[in-house]
Amino acid sequence: MSAFHGFPDLPGPDEVALCKLNEVYCCGNARYGNITTFTNATKKHPVINVTRDIHHHRLSDENISMYIDVEDNLFKKITSVWYKQGFLEALSVAADPTVNRESQFLAVTASYFLKVANVFSTFRYFLQPHLKDIGPKIVSNYSRTRSWGNAPIKCLAWHPHATKIAVATVDDNVRIYCSEVSFVSTLKCKAQGHVSSLSWRPFSASELAVGCEQGVIVWTVDPNSMFTKPSSSNAVVLKRSGHNPVTDVSWSPNGDLLISCSGADTSMLVWDVSMETSIPLKRVAGGGIVFSRWSFDASKVFAATSSIIFRVWETKRWTPERWCARGCRVVAACWGPKDVVLFAAKGEPMIYALTNTGLMSGTQTSKALAVLDVTKVELPSGDCVGGPILDMCWDPTGRYLALLFEESHLIAIFCTTQLMMQLKITPCCFVSGLENELPSTMAFQQNFTEGACLTIAWSSGRVQHFPIIYTDGY
Amino acid sequence: MEPKSDIFSKRLLVAVLWNIGLQIFLAVGLIFIIQVDLLHPLSWLTSTVNDIFGWKMSINIILLALVSFFQAYIYGSYYMMPLPKYFTRFSMFLNMLSIQNAIFIVLYALSGYFTMGLYSSLAKSKFNLLKKQCESYDGQCLLEQSLFLQFGGMWMGLYYFMNVHIFSTTVLMFPHIYQDKFQQIKIAVNNILSMGFKNSMAPVTYYCIFYYLWGNKPRSFVSDVYSLYLEDPPLDNIIILITSGIWIGLWFYTSLFFISVYTMKAVFNIVLTEPMKFPIVSDSCLTLQNALAQRSQFNGYLGAQDLRIMSMTDGLRRAHIFTLSQPGGHPRNWNGLLEQCLGIITDFSKQLDCINGEPKSDMNKSTLRPVLNGSAYSKIPYSDTLRNMAQSPKLLNLKDNKNNAEDTFSNAVKEEFNVLLNKLCQKPGISYMFGELTDIKLKYVLMQAQPVMWTCEGLSFIAAASLNEDKYGVVQNDLPIIISALMNLKQNLEKLTKPGLVPRKHILNDTFAIKMKAGLLSSVKRSIYKIVITFSKYIHEIPLDPEVQIAIQPFLMCKEA
């Protein structure tokens, strides 16, 4: 029987799911429907709609070609390419016969140099295949956001203690929306490009780590300040050579350590942010570290590499336990209460659970249990759901699990209950967007007391808060 | 109970052993690389093995061991003492001329000389001996290259000493996460190799300049003493110096010297900073509470570090803290621990207070005075249901008399003298040399902030854990004290950054101290957040001072930056 058996029917063609109240799936008209007719729990939540016109101009890799080429002389062309893109690119420009028509000699020498350089680089990529891609490509490869390069919202993060959300938009600005104040702070500095991840520091109201191409930027945004554009003096850039682009940042639940990962670096860095020092954690095999997740009590860290290997680090002495996924790299993972970690491999419609790794099971050979099979099915309404998993979120209480699929425009939410070390997963509901909307990314609110609140960023730039509320009677 | 320095000396010994092992490894690696002979791999191996087990190597190992004992002695004497207090330029200058430093200079110069000679002999260079057979005369000639190298060795020792001990203060840096020793060394080695080769460039350049200017003096001195002839063109000529290529050799050996010194430092740091587990209750060994009591000493550091780790990860020992003593039912473990922690935090607050300016301390005095006077005091002794023997009226009278007795002639003279001294110190030239430097004082205080950070975090985590684990409500009683101590520290720290209080010119210019200050402030705030967020539902039931109650509001609303 499919895992999607037992879900409530999708809302009608003009309707959209708004919330779930004590097992009642509430839908409303797509245009006029309002969530406040059902519940006031999200009344004060910030209304976020990222439209194209609020974007600032950005100079990205795609729109360099948008500008009209001005014919510079050859030398100027080469130097500017050298300055912007590096020596090898400059060589290839010099060697290119369509660009370099003036100096044959230069073209020939450059092409020979290029050949030698190519031999070296192929050898290097043979040794370290994970370095092959360049910056943004690596990030978009490993990002859990659907079409990370083009989506209006690249990632979002809820503050652990306050109703405050940080949203990274396509122009690489980070906007901070807060329930209490109407204005939006926009964080932007020169070093902040290709934002891949955001993380709020626990036990602090102001610190936000932004993972981007150059490294990690830690912003300190005073919640009492009225500036909508804090200057870059509030930001600390944490860099280390070889550790870019950063694909994931995560604060420890105690708020003392910050882990940054880069898909191009085989070591994961543990930062002491105030002293700006980092300690690399590295073990043989596995390739670049793509992302890491802290367990709730900060006693373990799940680290996924770009190969099938993933590790569970124990944070007392920082020793890893090595695991291998079947088939492909781990694409998403999340910790729940009682040190349970759920993970999914890329391209596979299956969720595995790793319970009490190492301690209870004892042996290294113990396998992760498959807990949920989400093979693609067609619903009676004609929509497809399931298939390979793109992202996965577990709400902080461990009751709801939201899944984002690569090939479906629906988000599936499951109820999860843990009884006697046994994880039971039952259907809850689907969330769909308006017409032609695809979910880009999502996150559970961390301090929602009435139940769980899933925040979804749609491909149109609209951000929806989908509360699942339960009162004790139910 | 273990003697005070027992843990430290044990670790020092372990560090020395580790160090000797690593140095031998380095030396063997060097021999292996130098004798590289790809065409005859077998003879390469055999000659390497022969060299390794030869008498030369064993002498070298003894030398290495000696050098590393030197180092251990130096590090030991640096880390065992609390940081020296020198707040005036004059005292800093005097400090540089201490006997200890003189000994260290000699030791470092010797160790530089030895290490240099050692590596050059391992590398089989021909510049090991000062003398050689003359080519054109009959007799012995000076081999200036070897003089250049040996003198260079001493120079490097001195250079390193100056750089590390005189122009910067040595503080034991505890890493923020602890891995196995082996892993740490593996990470460190990479860094050390590149650092060694990079950092040796500057002193080699300085030395070449020095030799160009002054090189003729040691040369003539040595050739006089040994009555040697000079045959080759002298090296204090730029062109000859460069063409002889000896500077490349010097650079290589200097790099090796630096690598070996850095290795030593890294090994010492790794071994000394290993977290230690102190028991909560014990008759035989040092308890956490007693370790914390040794404030700024090494054990105090270990104790504070352990407190933090324990409060975060070790539920078993936390449970020990929350227990009551068996006969009596007093929370003795907790009380002892709390007393030490609060002591550390309030002492630090007080030190900051002193820097923040005298006006506050004056106010304190004036508020204290009336309390000390008998009239205000008369109610206090019996206000509680319990009679306090320590505050009986008789004792108060005694104290009063004592106070009066002190107001004598000698005191007046002393005061007068102090005023005079203060006036004298205001004079420009003198104040430059003898005036106290606030920023250095501040830096001195901040250098010792590490255990305070750990203590704050540890305390807050224990308090937070007590919500679920503390059956008898041992900790909850003391929450107001903890919160107000943390709040006080936070306010004192914030005063430092407020302009106007610390004169503008006394702004810290030391990046380490600035980072330390930011780190401390952040950890204090996080500690307060931790307690406030954990107890947010019950915060109104905690009997807090009205001031603290107000100060806590931004934390409750998550508005404190």
Side-chain angles (χ1 to χ4, degrees):
Chain A
M1 196 171 63
S2 160
F4 299 104
H5 186 84
F7 268 89
D9 287 337
L10 279 177
D14 284 337
E15 289 197 318
V16 67
L18 292 175
C19 62
K20 188 158 186 182
L21 277 174
N22 291 328
E23 304 296 313
V24 181
Y25 187 44
C26 306
C27 303
N29 185 283
R31 202 176 294 169
Y32 310 110
N34 200 334
I35 190 165
T36 47
T37 49
F38 300 105
T39 173
N40 278 333
T42 56
K43 198 179 177 185
K44 282 186 176 171
H45 276 42
V47 179
I48 308 167
N49 202 351
V50 179
T51 48
R52 290 275 166 190
D53 53 312
I54 69 166
H55 289 163
H56 293 257
H57 162 74
R58 74 168 175 152
L59 194 90
S60 80
D61 321 292
E62 293 90 48
N63 59 15
I64 280 178
S65 54
M66 251 169 45
Y67 297 103
I68 300 161
D69 248 358
V70 180
E71 271 301 316
D72 281 331
N73 69 28
L74 180 70
F75 180 70
K76 208 170 169 187
K77 242 185 223 165
I78 292 173
T79 44
S80 78
V81 169
W82 189 349
Y83 178 70
K84 276 182 196 151
Q85 295 169 42
F87 182 68
L88 284 183
E89 292 296 315
L91 270 186
S92 65
V93 167
D96 191 353
T98 56
V99 182
N100 182 1
R101 270 173 256 122
E102 291 143 47
S103 166
Q104 273 302 316
F105 173 72
L106 189 66
V108 172
T109 33
S111 66
Y112 275 109
F113 267 115
L114 210 58
K115 271 175 192 162
V116 174
N118 277 341
V119 169
F120 275 106
S121 55
T122 37
F123 181 66
R124 189 167 158 223
Y125 293 147
F126 172 71
L127 291 178
Q128 299 164 303
H130 57 274
L131 293 177
K132 216 168 199 166
D133 296 327
I134 51 150
K137 221 173 158 188
I138 295 177
V139 182
S140 78
N141 236 352
Y142 297 133
S143 176
R144 286 174 305 282
T145 305
R146 191 191 304 274
S147 60
W148 172 83
N150 309 318
I153 292 173
K154 281 182 168 172
C155 51
L156 35 87
W158 276 103
H159 191 277
H161 314 296
T163 311
K164 190 156 45 166
I165 189 169
V167 177
T169 48
V170 70
D171 53 354
D172 287 321
N173 288 0
V174 175
R175 284 156 216 279
I176 294 172
Y177 296 85
C178 194
S179 65
E180 288 137 26
V181 284
S182 53
F183 68 85
V184 179
S185 309
T186 309
L187 310 181
K188 175 77 191 163
C189 72
K190 210 177 164 191
Q192 189 171 296
H194 303 302
V195 175
S196 61
S197 51
L198 301 167
S199 178
W200 286 96
R201 189 174 197 167
F203 302 113
S204 159
S206 54
E207 282 170 83
L208 175 73
V210 179
C212 54
E213 189 177 15
Q214 292 193 11
V216 184
I217 301 176
V218 180
W219 286 90
T220 308
V221 196
D222 188 351
N224 304 312
S225 142
M226 299 296 279
F227 290 118
T228 51
K229 281 190 183 144
S231 77
S232 51
S233 65
N234 292 314
V236 180
V237 185
L238 306 173
K239 279 195 254 188
R240 192 182 166 107
S241 68
H243 192 76
N244 54 2
V246 169
T247 46
D248 183 70
V249 282
S250 53
W251 281 101
S252 93
N254 293 334
D256 51 350
L257 302 172
L258 175 74
I259 289 186
S260 72
C261 307
S262 166
D265 189 3
T266 49
S267 48
M268 139 176 129
L269 298 186
V270 185
W271 291 90
D272 177 354
V273 171
S274 54
M275 299 308 286
E276 294 174 32
T277 50
S278 65
I279 293 178
L281 292 177
K282 187 178 184 176
R283 290 293 184 273
V284 181
I289 312 280
V290 177
F291 69 90
S292 64
R293 291 279 171 275
W294 287 84
S295 75
F296 285 5
D297 60 352
S299 63
K300 277 173 192 147
V301 175
F302 181 100
T305 68
S306 55
S307 73
I308 54 167
I309 292 168
F310 63 93
R311 296 190 177 88
V312 179
W313 292 82
E314 172 272 319
T315 60
K316 221 169 174 182
R317 300 199 66 86
W318 291 94
T319 46
E321 195 176 284
R322 193 169 121 174
W323 290 79
C324 282
R326 205 186 314 146
C328 216
R329 72 177 180 90
V330 171
V331 69
C334 39
W335 287 91
K338 293 181 195 160
D339 275 0
V340 178
V341 63
L342 297 182
F343 66 91
K346 191 171 173 63
E348 208 184 346
M350 187 69 85
I351 292 173
Y352 299 92
L354 211 61
T355 326
N356 244 346
T357 49
L359 283 171
M360 292 286 279
S361 51
T363 46
Q364 288 277 340
T365 49
S366 62
K367 272 183 192 161
L369 290 173
V371 287
L372 186 65
D373 179 6
V374 284
T375 314
K376 199 170 178 179
V377 290
E378 197 172 321
L379 296 174
S381 59
D383 299 284
C384 281
V385 68
I389 289 159
L390 188 64
D391 194 8
M392 184 159 74
C393 287
W394 213 354
D395 95 285
T397 54
R399 298 201 201 199
Y400 298 97
L401 178 72
L403 297 181
L404 197 65
F405 303 102
E406 275 178 35
E407 298 155 1
S408 167
H409 66 279
L410 295 176
I411 286 177
I413 302 176
F414 290 88
C415 295
T416 50
T417 37
Q418 264 176 288
L419 277 172
M420 310 288 287
M421 310 303 292
Q422 200 81 45
L423 192 69
K424 203 177 146 210
I425 301 181
T426 49
C428 179
C429 61
F430 291 124
V431 186
S432 58
L434 305 174
E435 240 175 298
N436 296 330
E437 271 184 342
L438 291 168
S440 299
T441 182
M442 60 184 181
F444 271 107
Q445 191 183 334
Q446 301 292 306
N447 66 333
F448 194 69
T449 43
E450 289 98 329
C453 177
L454 181 69
T455 298
I456 305 154
W458 297 97
S459 56
S460 61
R462 181 174 69 98
V463 173
Q464 181 187 1
H465 303 294
F466 185 86
I468 307 164
I469 294 164
Y470 50 85
T471 34
D472 283 337
Y474 283 86
Chain B
M1 191 145 104
E2 286 180 59
K4 262 185 192 173
S5 57
D6 208 30
I7 300 168
F8 185 75
S9 38
K10 253 187 217 161
R11 285 190 175 198
L12 217 50
L13 197 69
V14 173
V16 168
L17 293 180
W18 263 93
N19 185 26
I20 293 173
L22 258 180
Q23 299 282 348
I24 290 172
F25 178 74
L26 247 174
V28 169
L30 182 72
I31 291 175
F32 192 69
I33 289 170
I34 278 175
Q35 306 201 335
V36 65
D37 187 358
L38 284 178
L39 292 178
H40 308 96
L42 262 181
S43 69
W44 175 21
L45 277 180
T46 46
S47 71
T48 310
V49 169
N50 277 341
D51 270 11
I52 290 169
F53 294 104
W55 58 272
K56 217 173 181 182
M57 186 70 186
S58 46
I59 288 180
N60 283 334
I61 288 172
I62 293 168
L63 264 180
L64 270 175
L66 267 180
V67 169
S68 91
F69 272 107
F70 276 166
Q71 291 277 347
Y73 168 69
I74 290 174
Y75 276 101
S77 49
Y78 263 106
Y79 292 141
M80 270 315 282
M81 287 187 306
L83 278 178
K85 283 187 194 177
Y86 301 113
F87 301 140
T88 65
R89 288 196 172 84
F90 185 68
S91 60
M92 280 196 304
F93 182 70
L94 272 188
N95 172 42
M96 283 183 195
L97 301 176
S98 67
I99 300 171
Q100 196 195 21
N101 276 358
I103 298 171
F104 286 172
I105 284 180
V106 174
L107 284 183
Y108 265 106
L110 278 180
S111 93
Y113 173 79
F114 279 140
T115 335
M116 197 72 99
L118 201 148
Y119 282 120
S120 77
S121 82
L122 283 182
K124 298 207 169 143
S125 87
K126 51 184 190 239
F127 304 126
N128 273 321
L129 295 170
L130 279 175
K131 301 172 212 173
K132 67 168 182 181
Q133 203 61 40
C134 286
E135 278 160 19
S136 43
Y137 312 101
D138 194 26
Q140 295 210 304
C141 280
L142 176 72
L143 190 60
E144 200 182 352
Q145 272 93 336
S146 63
L147 177 73
F148 182 80
L149 280 186
Q150 291 177 1
F151 214 63
M154 286 187 217
W155 173 274
M156 298 312 155
L158 287 182
Y159 177 85
Y160 180 78
F161 174 76
M162 287 290 177
N163 238 355
V164 170
H165 295 294
I166 300 287
F167 297 122
S168 62
T169 33
T170 37
V171 194
L172 204 55
M173 286 297 293
F174 283 74
H176 48 276
I177 58 169
Y178 194 84
Q179 299 182 72
D180 290 339
K181 284 192 201 86
F182 184 66
Q183 288 293 339
Q184 284 199 60
I185 287 171
K186 229 167 68 181
I187 293 169
V189 161
N190 221 336
N191 204 8
I192 285 170
L193 285 181
S194 63
M195 286 266 286
F197 281 103
K198 222 188 282 165
N199 289 1
S200 57
M201 287 183 198
V204 168
T205 320
Y206 297 149
Y207 179 66
C208 286
I209 295 168
F210 165 81
Y211 202 84
Y212 172 69
L213 296 174
W214 295 89
N216 55 343
K217 299 220 163 126
R219 186 178 55 226
S220 54
F221 178 75
V222 170
S223 52
D224 276 353
V225 169
Y226 292 103
S227 57
L228 298 171
Y229 297 107
L230 283 172
E231 185 187 44
D232 305 322
L235 276 179
D236 54 352
N237 179 318
I238 290 263
I239 296 159
I240 293 170
L241 185 64
I242 290 173
T243 50
S244 72
I246 189 69
W247 56 275
I248 297 178
L250 181 69
W251 175 66
F252 182 66
Y253 296 131
T254 307
S255 308
L256 287 178
F257 168 67
F258 273 20
I259 287 169
S260 100
V261 184
Y262 288 153
T263 314
M264 249 177 242
K265 205 176 171 188
V267 167
F268 275 94
N269 218 34
I270 289 167
V271 175
L272 288 179
T273 57
E274 188 181 355
M276 170 126 187
K277 222 172 166 179
F278 293 102
I280 303 295
V281 211
S282 167
D283 300 323
S284 54
C285 52
L286 197 63
T287 59
L288 182 57
Q289 182 191 333
N290 291 335
L292 280 173
Q294 298 173 17
R295 291 294 159 75
S296 53
Q297 285 169 26
F298 183 69
N299 286 354
Y301 271 76
L302 284 184
Q305 192 191 26
D306 185 47
L307 175 77
R308 178 171 174 275
I309 295 172
M310 182 265 292
S311 67
M312 283 181 183
T313 59
D314 198 340
L316 217 66
R317 276 193 293 162
R318 268 202 312 260
H320 266 297
I321 294 178
F322 300 138
T323 52
L324 302 176
S325 67
Q326 216 15 273
H330 296 291
R332 224 163 255 158
N333 297 338
W334 166 247
N335 282 347
L337 204 62
L338 180 71
E339 189 193 342
Q340 295 306 336
C341 294
L342 284 181
I344 291 172
I345 294 172
T346 47
D347 279 359
F348 195 82
S349 288
K350 264 182 213 154
Q351 283 179 356
L352 287 180
D353 221 19
C354 287
I355 292 168
N356 274 335
E358 262 48 59
K360 184 127 196 234
S361 58
D362 274 349
M363 246 170 52
N364 275 347
K365 264 184 209 161
S366 59
T367 49
L368 277 177
R369 277 271 156 74
V371 178
L372 271 174
N373 287 341
S375 58
Y377 228 94
S378 55
K379 295 175 212 151
I380 293 170
Y382 302 112
S383 65
D384 248 345
T385 42
L386 278 173
R387 193 166 67 102
N388 191 340
M389 296 293 276
Q391 291 185 337
S392 74
K394 234 183 196 173
L395 205 71
L396 271 179
N397 280 338
L398 274 175
K399 271 187 189 164
D400 255 9
N401 281 340
K402 224 185 189 177
N403 276 348
N404 289 338
E406 275 173 14
D407 274 338
T408 50
F409 177 71
S410 66
N411 266 16
V413 170
K414 252 184 207 165
E415 230 160 71
E416 201 62 21
F417 181 72
N418 279 339
V419 168
L420 199 76
L421 211 64
N422 276 338
K423 260 187 194 165
L424 202 68
C425 282
Q426 242 107 69
K427 295 269 183 309
I430 294 172
S431 86
Y432 183 81
M433 280 311 284
F434 298 97
E436 284 206 338
L437 302 168
T438 321
D439 52 343
I440 291 186
K441 221 168 166 179
L442 185 57
K443 194 177 143 189
Y444 166 77
V445 173
L446 287 173
M447 286 286 191
Q448 297 168 320
Q450 186 69 77
V452 183
M453 278 185 199
W454 288 330
T455 314
C456 289
E457 285 177 35
L459 209 53
S460 73
F461 273 89
I462 294 177
S466 75
L467 185 64
N468 295 322
E469 295 172 14
D470 181 8
K471 277 181 284 180
Y472 307 107
V474 163
V475 174
Q476 268 128 57
N477 248 346
D478 298 316
L479 271 181
I481 313 172
I482 298 174
I483 294 177
S484 57
L486 288 174
M487 210 44 115
N488 194 13
L489 178 56
K490 186 210 131 198
Q491 281 162 355
N492 275 332
L493 272 170
E494 276 178 345
K495 264 184 220 154
L496 289 180
T497 41
K498 270 184 194 150
L501 280 164
V502 180
R504 204 79 192 135
K505 64 176 177 180
H506 290 317
I507 295 298
L508 280 174
N509 51 11
D510 184 278
T511 43
F512 178 75
I514 292 172
K515 284 178 186 171
M516 210 61 179
K517 194 181 76 182
L520 180 61
L521 188 61
S522 148
S523 91
V524 172
K525 277 183 182 170
R526 261 185 290 127
S527 310
I528 300 175
Y529 261 120
K530 177 89 191 173
I531 297 177
V532 169
I533 289 175
T534 321
F535 288 94
S536 60
K537 279 181 191 164
Y538 321 99
I539 203 87
H540 298 296
E541 289 157 34
I542 301 173
L544 289 169
D545 284 346
E547 271 175 43
V548 181
Q549 197 104 47
I550 294 166
I552 234 172
Q553 287 311 311
F555 285 93
L556 258 177
M557 287 151 62
C558 229
K559 282 273 179 190
E560 179 76 34

